[in-house]
Amino acid sequence: MKHEHVIVQQPTSSPQQLLLFFHGVGDNPENMAQIARWFAPHFPQAAIVSVGGAEACGPTGRQWFSVQDVSEENRQQRIDAIMPAFIATVRYWQEQTGVSPLATALIGFSQGSIMALESIKAQPELASRVIAFNGRYATLPQTATTASTIHLIHGDEDRVIELAHAVAAEEALVRAGGDVTLDIVDNLGHAIDDRSVQCALNHLRYTVPKHYFDEALSGGGKPNDDDIIELL
């Protein structure tokens, strides 16, 4: 599949995890790769790829959908139109690396977060984790499963995507029975800083997905060895 990307890390042996990074509108995979590099030392057995949006946006930028004249009424339609390409991209890297959805994390900022969140809404078993930096849903989910764990990380001073969207997303997922966390970063606008990254790393490394507890309570026992490791 032809798309712009930057391979940040490729283990010499078969990867045990897959971390896919998605940038904001008008940005590019090279810039998002700088964020991805903060994760590499903590996941030495992970394939880490920064993926570019499907469409050109400006002289050096990319996007998944245009935000020109975007509104609450048409945002979902624009996302739905490009979603098959986004899902195909995730599947492509899973096939290339041999990593299953159980060991895949989608990590996005802004529009990249929107696409990651909406992809899990469309296909809940596409990946086991989503890290959404300063993102939102186009429309709030009415249903949810614990197949994927959603980590929302948002600056309280964000004026591009208001914090209220993250709060509403958390509340909707809790009502629907999903697995979600929300970290609010003080005095942070529409950006990722070291505190945001630390929140993400802490969740990826130490937060146990709710479905493991559900399986234990239902008599399913502990996760299988191939369900994965530190990421989960």
Side-chain angles (χ1 to χ4, degrees):
M1 172 178 286
K2 184 178 180 180
H3 55 264
E4 292 193 8
H5 64 274
V6 174
I7 296 178
V8 174
Q9 178 171 277
Q10 180 63 47
T12 55
S13 58
S14 297
Q16 298 300 301
Q17 301 136 333
L18 174 62
L19 277 59
L20 296 176
F21 287 75
F22 303 94
H23 60 76
V25 64
D27 205 352
N28 57 63
E30 289 79 10
N31 287 339
M32 194 64 183
Q34 297 178 32
I35 300 296
R37 290 187 182 98
W38 294 358
F39 290 71
H42 301 278
F43 297 96
Q45 297 304 311
I48 302 179
V49 184
S50 178
V51 178
E55 306 171 354
C57 178
T60 62
R62 310 290 301 176
Q63 63 185 11
W64 286 98
F65 61 92
S66 173
V67 295
Q68 184 174 359
D69 300 321
V70 71
S71 66
E72 295 300 312
E73 291 71 32
N74 64 26
R75 183 178 288 105
Q76 187 71 64
Q77 182 180 8
R78 296 186 185 191
I79 292 169
D80 291 346
I82 196 63
M83 185 55 68
F86 183 90
I87 291 174
T89 301
V90 174
R91 296 292 191 202
Y92 170 83
W93 285 108
Q94 289 171 337
E95 292 171 4
Q96 289 294 304
T97 59
V99 176
S100 76
L102 285 171
T104 299
L106 311 180
I107 303 171
F109 170 70
S110 193
Q111 189 181 89
S113 286
I114 293 172
M115 294 302 299
L117 290 168
E118 288 286 332
S119 73
I120 295 299
K121 191 173 78 176
Q123 289 196 8
E125 296 184 358
L126 181 65
S128 68
R129 298 271 189 153
V130 170
I131 300 287
F133 292 111
N134 293 64
R136 59 167 291 180
Y137 286 98
T139 53
L140 292 173
Q142 301 301 308
T143 61
T145 75
T146 58
S148 54
T149 302
I150 310 298
H151 301 296
L152 307 168
I153 302 170
H154 215 101
D156 69 345
E157 297 294 333
D158 193 339
R159 297 295 176 259
V160 177
I161 299 179
E162 297 281 347
L163 173 61
H165 289 294
V167 174
E170 180 196 31
E171 292 173 349
L173 287 167
V174 169
R175 284 195 303 270
D179 188 5
V180 60
T181 65
L182 170 61
D183 293 286
I184 300 171
V185 184
D186 293 337
N187 303 312
L188 180 66
H190 195 65
I192 299 173
D193 68 2
D194 57 344
R195 297 172 296 168
S196 305
V197 170
Q198 193 58 54
C199 286
L201 288 170
N202 286 344
H203 284 305
L204 287 176
R205 297 167 70 192
Y206 305 125
T207 300
V208 178
K210 184 176 181 293
H211 71 84
Y212 284 170
F213 293 108
D214 294 342
E215 291 164 6
L217 290 172
S218 66
K222 68 179 183 179
N224 296 326
D225 290 341
D226 59 357
D227 277 351
I228 251 8
I229 47 189
E230 189 178 16
L231 177 61
L232 303 184

